[in-house]
Amino acid sequence: MKKIAAFTGSILMVALALAGCSKKGPEAKGAKGDKKVITVGYAQVGAESDWRLANTESFKSTFTAENGYKLIFDDAQQKQENQIKAMRNFIQQDVDYIVVAPVVETGWETVLGEAKAAGIPVILSDRQMKVSDDSLYLCWVGGNFLKEGRDSVIWLNDYLKKNGRDSEKLNVLLIQGTIGSSAQVGRTQGITEGLAKNLNYNLLAKQTGEFTQAKGQEVMESFLKQYDDIDVVFAENDNMAWGAVDAIKAAGKQPGKDIIIICFDAVHETFNKMMAGEINCAVECNPLHGPRVDSIIKTLEAGGTVDKIAYVDEGVFDEANAEAMLPTRKY
Ligand code: AHR
């Protein structure tokens, strides 16, 4: 199944090559028709957010022995060099597939080239890579971060209109994710382009909170010291928004009322905070990629083809629908 001489750049050809070879040794499909175990190395970003924990759980509960897999999981602690090291370990261990959620977009060519030379297909999940030659990876599945950013500003425009505030001048702050990650790049672009279309919005500052609650709180504390009149805060993930909520409360203001809070991910705790009126809007980012990657691998193993790029559908939630939606939410 593995050991394709080199990726061809065509998914169809890769799929045919995948289907045409089979792994030798005790794990191969035996004479009695035992199923082959597929070894998958997952180079995970880290454990920086509740979204990330749900994503890890999705992989661990999908890539099980019962489902025909051996999963080798690596937590890179938000460091690209750790992810590259993990990928090299996976290559050394001769895994059947490498799955990677890249911390940042750039800097992957060398290690992808090594995987290609070893004939190991690389599947990207969650965040994207920017590479000169996209035949270096097989395919990608994840959320549309640019659209998420755009949706957040569309929500703000509608909200202000509904509340008769659409002619107000508003001071806006942006707490960004890990700089250089496709989640940050896409959301920042969507948000800033959306804000620039309306002269009532004044973007005071943007700063990274590295997708963690502690850093989000720290950044919000410093914003509160620098600016007296803050109307809107965008936080590029839930956890940073929770940190911002704590900072705003500690400063004696009411999050969700004195300051409109908009964030991304939409995990359970954010629904609780929307129901409590502390967060106004959450744009969904779906972390349940385990079954999606499983389905890609099963398709390839069966000799089928997969889409190079597959976006997941995602919604927008707010105080108005949080209570009704919470029971339907899986993370
Ligand atoms: O790449 C997805 C982002 O990474 C999520 O928004 C964030 O919570 C996570 O850490």
Side-chain angles (χ1 to χ4, degrees):
M1 184 272 311
K2 193 153 61 60
K3 294 295 164 212
I4 317 157
F7 284 10
T8 57
S10 148
I11 296 178
L12 174 63
M13 291 182 74
V14 170
L16 290 174
L18 288 167
C21 327
S22 78
K23 190 169 177 175
K24 300 200 173 61
E27 290 174 350
K29 192 170 176 175
K32 290 180 194 150
D34 306 336
K35 276 207 177 150
K36 183 180 83 58
V37 172
I38 301 168
T39 303
V40 174
Y42 183 29
Q44 173 63 292
V45 169
E48 73 284 1
S49 64
D50 283 48
W51 186 101
R52 189 63 55 197
L53 299 181
N55 179 258
T56 291
E57 173 52 28
S58 174
F59 274 86
K60 287 191 173 168
S61 59
T62 302
F63 289 86
T64 58
E66 300 76 60
N67 202 13
Y69 290 105
K70 178 180 170 196
L71 177 68
I72 310 174
F73 179 85
D74 186 274
D75 172 339
Q77 299 180 353
Q78 294 229 70
K79 291 198 176 83
Q80 183 177 32
E81 67 261 32
N82 290 347
Q83 277 196 315
I84 291 175
K85 213 184 281 170
M87 289 169 75
R88 291 201 166 119
N89 274 332
F90 297 154
I91 294 168
Q92 278 222 313
Q93 291 178 68
D94 201 23
V95 300
D96 294 308
Y97 294 89
I98 292 175
V99 182
V100 55
V103 180
V104 288
E105 287 184 322
T106 55
W108 299 100
E109 266 88 355
T110 306
V111 71
L112 287 179
E114 291 165 22
K116 180 175 174 171
I120 301 174
V122 176
I123 297 170
L124 310 187
S125 164
D126 166 28
R127 299 179 187 172
Q128 294 196 349
M129 289 181 185
K130 238 190 214 159
V131 283
S132 47
D133 169 9
D134 70 5
S135 74
L136 285 169
Y137 65 88
L138 186 66
C139 62
W140 169 86
V141 60
N144 188 334
F145 301 121
L146 176 60
K147 180 177 183 301
E148 291 171 10
R150 287 178 175 153
D151 286 349
S152 69
V153 182
I154 292 171
W155 178 87
L156 178 63
N157 295 338
D158 290 349
Y159 175 83
L160 294 171
K161 200 162 189 187
K162 271 188 210 140
N163 289 279
R165 297 179 62 185
D166 49 331
S167 53
E168 246 179 70
K169 299 260 177 223
L170 298 172
N171 287 327
V172 181
L173 288 165
L174 170 55
I175 308 177
Q176 298 169 287
T178 304
I179 299 298
S181 66
S182 66
Q184 175 274 316
V185 172
R187 288 173 188 161
T188 296
Q189 187 186 334
I191 294 165
T192 53
E193 285 179 359
L195 293 176
K197 286 184 189 150
N198 186 334
L199 293 177
N200 283 338
Y201 298 137
N202 174 30
L203 181 60
L204 293 170
K206 51 186 187 337
Q207 195 178 319
T208 183
E210 285 158 22
F211 283 130
T212 71
Q213 184 163 348
K215 210 59 180 88
Q217 179 165 350
E218 210 177 293
V219 171
M220 192 66 222
E221 282 164 0
S222 106
F223 281 160
L224 285 158
K225 280 183 198 140
Q226 289 173 69
Y227 305 103
D228 290 333
D229 183 15
I230 303 169
D231 300 297
V232 183
V233 171
F234 286 86
E236 286 180 359
N237 84 344
D238 279 353
N239 289 73
M240 295 190 298
W242 305 344
V245 162
D246 289 344
I248 293 166
K249 282 189 193 164
K253 298 191 183 209
Q254 280 191 289
K257 295 187 178 59
D258 299 329
I259 301 177
I260 297 169
I261 313 281
I262 302 165
C263 60
F264 299 82
D265 288 351
V267 302
H268 280 157
E269 181 54 20
T270 287
F271 277 78
N272 293 333
K273 290 197 180 339
M274 286 194 287
M275 281 150 56
E278 294 180 339
I279 287 181
N280 304 82
C281 170
V283 178
E284 181 182 23
C285 180
N286 187 311
L288 306 182
H289 297 319
R292 296 181 184 114
V293 174
D294 169 41
S295 149
I296 287 170
I297 291 176
K298 296 250 166 80
T299 301
L300 294 170
E301 292 285 317
T305 60
V306 297
D307 290 334
K308 183 83 184 178
I309 299 287
Y311 288 110
V312 173
D313 280 342
E314 293 167 329
V316 178
F317 306 100
D318 63 13
E319 298 148 296
N321 62 17
E323 193 168 355
M325 293 307 295
L326 182 56
T328 69
R329 307 296 300 156
K330 294 201 172 67
Y331 47 88

